[in-house]
Amino acid sequence: MREEDVAGDGRRPAASAGLRRVFDAIGVAVALLDRQGRIADLNAAMLRAIGCPQDLLIGQPMAGAFVWGGREDAAERFAQAMAAAGRGLVQELSLTGDGNWFDIALTPLTAEPGGEPTGIVMTAADANRRMGVEARLRGQEDRLRAAQDEVKRAGQTKVRFLAAASHDLRQPAQSLTLFGAVLAERLADHPQLPLVQTMNRAIEAMRGLLDALLDVSRLDSGIVSPDRRLSRWPK
């Protein structure tokens, strides 16, 4: 055997060992699967995620490596995605397995571009932090929506109250106006007439406030709409 052949044989195991170290040093969990989804190889991150010795996993279906859970049928979704990847379709999905969330990508592995898949590369990135943030955001959105609904209900209650109050109080105010006018007529030459006139002005002011309340209730309920067009100020 030639010397360069010996040197070449020595370099290949070293290169393979170096690639293995790189494969295991990757922070993202990676597994090489055959076309049927059986485990051919996996890196250290994937071993940690699964929590099982490598010799017990090689040749086993990846679908059984995790206890899939969550509100959705995660096991069925993973099986469907695996079948699609076996047909050459890239798949991306987020699933919970063994109580942890993962962003999973299934990429078909072909011997040549455009060829039939000979295997599948699976990556699983930790999605616990992202899902936690999304859950908190959903909680904040729910609380905000509940607060908005409460404000809306309070506004509707206010509109009903203003409409009822202004309507029920206008009739007594109208009666007071009539009685005040009659009293002022009868006390035309009486020294207390200025007092009656002051009372009538107070009654008119009260009626103005009640009319304003009724206008506000009509605006809030949408019965009437304001004219937003700009008007010229009188010169």
Side-chain angles (χ1 to χ4, degrees):
M1 182 180 292
R2 292 178 302 174
E3 183 177 350
E4 49 269 29
D5 291 336
V6 175
D9 289 341
R11 283 195 299 269
R12 279 193 292 271
S16 178
L19 289 175
R20 184 73 219 186
R21 286 195 297 271
V22 172
F23 188 50
D24 286 334
I26 297 175
V28 177
V30 182
L32 302 179
L33 316 175
D34 63 17
R35 191 171 178 179
Q36 287 71 40
R38 293 186 294 264
I39 300 173
D41 198 2
L42 63 174
N43 68 349
M46 184 65 81
L47 284 173
R48 289 192 298 270
I50 297 175
C52 187
Q54 182 173 358
D55 55 353
L56 298 180
L57 294 172
I58 300 301
Q60 299 299 317
M62 177 57 81
F66 290 97
V67 178
W68 303 106
R71 291 176 296 179
E72 302 176 354
D73 191 353
E76 180 63 24
R77 290 181 59 203
F78 183 79
Q80 293 175 355
M82 190 67 70
R87 297 191 301 269
L89 302 175
V90 175
Q91 299 292 300
E92 294 182 352
L93 64 165
S94 296
L95 297 175
T96 176
D98 294 341
N100 295 307
W101 278 99
F102 296 100
D103 287 330
I104 295 174
L106 301 172
T107 306
L109 188 63
T110 58
E112 57 184 17
E116 287 293 322
T118 58
I120 301 170
V121 177
M122 171 182 169
T123 61
D126 187 351
N128 286 317
R129 180 176 298 179
R130 179 178 64 80
M131 297 303 293
V133 171
E134 291 180 0
R136 288 193 294 273
L137 289 176
R138 285 194 297 270
Q140 292 174 356
E141 290 175 356
D142 292 341
R143 290 191 293 273
L144 178 59
R145 192 175 297 109
Q148 290 174 337
D149 292 342
E150 183 62 28
V151 170
K152 185 177 180 180
R153 286 192 296 270
Q156 292 171 346
T157 301
K158 182 192 72 173
V159 169
R160 289 193 295 268
F161 170 77
L162 291 177
S166 59
H167 180 271
D168 294 342
L169 292 176
R170 288 182 77 190
Q171 185 61 39
Q174 180 67 21
S175 299
L176 285 174
T177 301
L178 294 176
F179 291 147
V182 172
L183 185 60
E185 183 178 353
R186 291 187 178 183
L187 297 178
D189 298 326
H190 197 277
Q192 297 298 327
L193 178 61
L195 181 61
V196 175
Q197 293 172 338
T198 300
M199 180 190 71
N200 287 340
R201 287 194 295 270
I203 292 173
E204 287 299 321
M206 181 182 66
R207 289 184 60 187
L209 290 175
L210 292 176
D211 289 340
L213 282 175
L214 183 59
D215 290 341
V216 170
S217 67
R218 287 173 175 173
L219 287 171
D220 285 343
S221 61
I223 296 176
V224 295
S225 300
D227 188 355
R228 301 176 182 274
R229 292 175 298 179
L230 293 176
S231 299
R232 286 187 176 182
W233 291 97
K235 294 181 179 180

